[in-house]
Amino acid sequence: MDLNNIQLFVEVVKRNSFAEVARMRNIDPSSVSRSIRKLETTLGFRLFQRTTRKLSPTEAGKSYFRQVEGLVDTFIQAGERALDLSNQPIGTLRVTACTSFGQKKLVPLLPIMRKKYPKLIIELVLADNQVDIVEQQIDAAIRFGKKPTDDFICKELAPRKFIVCASPAFIKSNAITNNPFCLSELECLRFSIPGYREAWKFRQAKKKELVVPVTGHLLISHGMTMTASAVAGLGVALLPDWLCRDELNDGSLVELFSDYECAAADFDTSAWVVYSSRDYMPLKLSAFIDCLKNEIPEFAGIKLE
């Protein structure tokens, strides 16, 4: 019995779509259909009920799925263990992150990983919406915020720090004091997600948290565009430190309110690397996490126990 056909069957059940599985595997949808028909012929029963509008597993198909899903995972893991005996990461590593983090932090890692692991294929899935790790067959996801509560393994990369900053030209032409409440009178660049665009938060040790209303004529959904807009003098921005550190160092942005911790919505958040919960960590995944740890200074505290 062809294991690939069984894997395709499991994926089709999970995604409820031949076309989606074909897209994920970069193959023709007719290839998926042929594989399923071959598996049905081998088994001697139909796995799916198909109409022009709906695809659903038969009762026999549901039963077969429940029995083989775990076995497929076991076979895949066995293959990964065998590949790892070469002590050289092999295969495809699928990593997802928001677009700005991918462009700013992950792309510079690619030449290093390509040189160190020439047999490894790296696929970056960059999106500003949260990608489903299981459905999209993601090996590692970079997440930001509170610790993810899904049934995944999460390793903290680094606590997340935000910085309020503006260009020297903007500072020169606006009345900015040491009190964060002056922001209510200034043009602020706002992240275009509900809950992140109405107010910014500030706090100092043992003092009451400040919630400062902010307004502005420019709402932006992309982090690197937000940084560029701040450099262009379009307003005050609240940015994660990794998105503005270079600009602060070269003087194109200036930090405001350095005596305060600040946040868009929640304090005490972090960057996380998230991957599916299982007993065995493939060599390609540990190599990627090692690279994050060794090549990004902010992430040097990652522990791989």
Side-chain angles (χ1 to χ4, degrees):
M1 190 174 293
D2 191 328
L3 177 60
N4 182 63
N5 291 345
I6 301 175
Q7 285 182 259
L8 281 170
F9 162 71
V10 169
E11 291 172 22
V12 169
V13 173
K14 288 181 176 179
R15 291 167 178 74
N16 199 35
S17 169
F18 282 26
E20 178 66 14
V21 171
R23 187 189 66 78
M24 284 291 302
R25 288 200 170 207
N26 196 29
I27 58 177
D28 193 279
S30 62
S31 297
V32 179
S33 297
R34 284 195 299 270
S35 293
I36 297 301
R37 283 198 297 270
K38 288 178 182 177
L39 183 58
E40 289 176 329
T41 299
T42 301
L43 293 170
F45 54 82
R46 291 182 63 82
L47 294 167
F48 293 98
Q49 298 286 357
R50 307 175 185 84
T51 68
T52 55
R53 294 186 177 182
K54 187 177 180 181
L55 173 74
S56 59
T58 62
E59 286 304 312
K62 292 176 183 177
S63 176
Y64 187 65
F65 172 78
R66 289 192 294 268
Q67 295 177 72
V68 301
E69 181 186 16
L71 295 176
V72 167
D73 290 339
T74 299
F75 275 114
I76 292 172
Q77 190 176 122
E80 289 173 342
R81 287 177 183 268
L83 280 175
D84 289 350
L85 291 175
S86 67
N87 292 320
Q88 177 76 289
I90 299 173
T92 300
L93 175 74
R94 286 173 58 82
V95 177
T96 187
C98 67
T99 54
S100 292
F101 185 85
Q103 293 173 334
K104 188 78 173 180
K105 290 296 185 179
L106 295 184
V107 169
L109 297 184
L110 297 182
I112 298 169
M113 293 198 71
R114 287 291 303 120
K115 183 177 180 180
K116 195 170 183 180
Y117 310 118
K119 295 183 178 180
L120 184 64
I121 298 170
I122 302 169
E123 184 174 351
L124 292 184
V125 183
L126 303 182
D128 289 325
N129 59 305
Q130 190 158 297
V131 173
D132 188 305
I133 294 176
V134 175
E135 181 177 306
Q136 298 297 319
Q137 297 179 320
I138 298 296
D139 294 295
I142 308 298
R143 303 281 195 234
F144 297 95
K146 297 290 187 180
K147 184 175 182 178
T149 56
D150 296 326
D151 186 25
F152 299 123
I153 300 296
C154 304
K155 291 185 182 295
E156 187 177 22
L157 298 173
R160 188 161 58 154
K161 180 183 179 182
F162 284 93
I163 293 174
V164 175
C165 52
S167 71
F170 184 90
I171 293 171
K172 185 176 180 179
S173 59
N174 287 273
I176 300 177
T177 70
N178 292 326
N179 187 329
F181 278 105
C182 74
L183 291 171
S184 296
E185 306 299 322
L186 299 174
E187 181 75 11
C188 293
L189 304 174
R190 297 181 294 153
F191 197 54
S192 57
I193 293 180
Y196 286 79
R197 61 192 185 194
E198 289 82 20
W200 296 344
K201 296 181 179 181
F202 297 81
R203 72 180 182 185
Q204 290 178 304
K206 299 181 180 179
K207 292 186 178 181
K208 185 178 179 181
E209 181 179 298
L210 306 178
V211 180
V212 179
V214 293
T215 58
H217 294 81
L218 188 56
L219 286 90
I220 302 170
S221 63
H222 184 257
M224 291 181 70
T225 303
M226 181 79 77
T227 302
S229 298
V231 170
L234 294 174
V236 180
L238 174 68
L239 294 166
D241 60 348
W242 56 266
L243 255 181
C244 60
R245 183 60 60 196
D246 292 342
E247 290 76 12
L248 292 170
N249 289 338
D250 67 24
S252 56
L253 289 177
V254 177
E255 181 176 2
L256 308 175
F257 317 118
S258 58
D259 292 337
Y260 292 84
E261 290 181 76
C262 50
D266 299 306
F267 290 103
D268 305 316
T269 59
S270 295
W272 306 87
V273 59
V274 181
Y275 54 93
S276 296
S277 177
R278 51 182 173 175
D279 296 333
Y280 180 68
M281 177 186 284
L283 188 58
K284 63 183 180 181
L285 178 55
S286 62
F288 171 68
I289 297 176
D290 258 336
C291 194
L292 290 176
K293 177 180 179 180
N294 295 330
E295 303 299 334
I296 300 179
E298 298 94 330
F299 298 165
I302 304 172
K303 296 181 180 179
L304 289 173
E305 73 275 353

